[in-house]
């Protein structure tokens, strides 16, 4: 009787191992197919606070002086895919004049991993300085003047192997005249260039 029981025990054990292997393979295939079925979505940027503290331009020597503080929000809209950002650069623009390039992240020093459905805020990014520029129409500053400033954010994402650029169009009063600024309650979403 022991001779007939031995093959049954061996067959049952082998059947369990085969069943577990097939179950594992099916789960692995399901996870991988779901991972690749999600379409890749690029990082989303928005500005949730902008403060224009200084903005002077002169026609005489074609110079511009500026001080702009930003709160930049980076979101990953993907459900599964991580972002691995290696470069993020911010530049402001006024009437086709670029000014104030700022590096938030550099590939030689920093690598940033942004998880799925996650948000990061870069607070108090300061774009300031002065320099020569192509001159634009200049009106005297007053309390009612609103400046149309574009903020360009260029980024490099390693997982999707892509470079991208977005622009955020801001309308800002000069902060010194009436104490107003564009605050975190007035969020502007950036659009792809």
């Amino acid at each position: 009787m022991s001779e007939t029981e031995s093959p049954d025990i061996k067959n049952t054990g082998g059947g369990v191992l085969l069943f577990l292997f097939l179950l594992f393979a099916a789960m692995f295939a399901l996870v991988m197919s779901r991972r690749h079925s999600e379409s890749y979505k690029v990082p989303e940027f928005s500005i949730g606070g902008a403060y224009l503290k200084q903005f002077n331009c002169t026609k005489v020597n074609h110079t511009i002086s500026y001080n702009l503080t930003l709160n930049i929000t980076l979101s990953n809209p993907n459900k599964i895919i991580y972002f691995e950002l290696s470069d993020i650069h911010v530049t402001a623009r006024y009437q086709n004049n670029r000014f104030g390039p700022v590096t938030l992240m550099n590939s030689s020093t920093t690598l940033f991993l942004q998880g799925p459905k996650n948000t990061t805020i870069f607070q108090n990014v300061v774009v300031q300085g002065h320099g020569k520029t192509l001159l634009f129409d200049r009106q005297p500053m007053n309390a009612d003047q609103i400046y149309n400033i574009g903020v360009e954010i260029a980024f490099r994402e390693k997982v999707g192997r892509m470079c991208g650029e977005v622009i955020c169009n801001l309308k800002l009063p000069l902060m010194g005249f009436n104490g107003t600024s564009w605050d975190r309650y007035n969020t502007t979403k950036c659009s792809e260039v």
Side-chain angles (χ1 to χ4, degrees), residues 14-184:
V16 170
L17 287 176
L18 180 62
F19 175 75
L20 289 175
F21 176 76
L22 292 174
L23 182 65
F24 176 75
M27 289 176 63
F28 181 76
L30 179 65
V31 168
M32 292 309 287
S33 67
R34 181 175 174 176
R35 182 180 185 111
H36 293 293
S37 68
E38 179 183 14
S39 62
Y40 178 83
K41 297 175 188 162
V42 297
E44 294 177 351
F45 288 90
S46 62
I47 296 181
Y51 310 96
L52 186 60
K53 297 177 183 174
Q54 177 188 10
F55 196 80
N56 299 320
C57 42
T58 60
K59 280 187 176 183
V60 177
N61 55 5
H62 303 279
T63 60
I64 183 171
S65 298
Y66 50 89
N67 185 329
L68 174 65
T69 303
L70 305 166
N71 291 331
I72 300 172
T73 302
L74 163 64
S75 298
N76 181 350
N78 296 299
K79 293 179 182 175
I80 298 171
I81 300 171
Y82 283 77
F83 288 141
E84 191 174 337
L85 297 168
S86 60
D87 290 302
I88 299 178
H89 302 281
V90 178
T91 306
R93 180 185 288 268
Y94 181 73
Q95 293 186 359
N96 294 325
N97 293 285
R98 287 184 173 199
F99 58 91
V102 174
T103 300
L104 289 182
M105 234 176 265
N106 187 329
S107 61
S108 63
T109 59
T110 309
L111 189 62
F112 179 72
L113 189 64
Q114 177 82 17
K117 292 292 185 184
N118 198 347
T119 299
T120 301
I121 300 173
F122 299 97
Q123 291 186 339
N124 299 321
V125 176
V126 178
V127 180
Q128 71 177 11
H130 64 279
K132 296 279 186 188
T133 185
L134 301 172
L135 201 61
F136 34 80
D137 294 332
R138 178 69 183 97
Q139 301 169 1
M141 289 190 293
N142 59 45
D144 297 329
Q145 187 163 354
I146 301 292
Y147 294 94
N148 294 318
I149 296 178
V151 176
E152 296 174 352
I153 303 171
F155 61 92
R156 180 181 306 270
E157 202 278 312
K158 290 182 116 178
V159 174
R161 295 189 177 129
M162 65 168 294
C163 296
E165 187 172 332
V166 296
I167 188 159
C168 310
N169 295 310
L170 308 176
K171 294 183 181 214
L172 302 172
L174 190 59
M175 204 168 148
F177 282 112
N178 55 10
T180 61
S181 64
W182 197 67
D183 61 14
R184 62 188 172 98

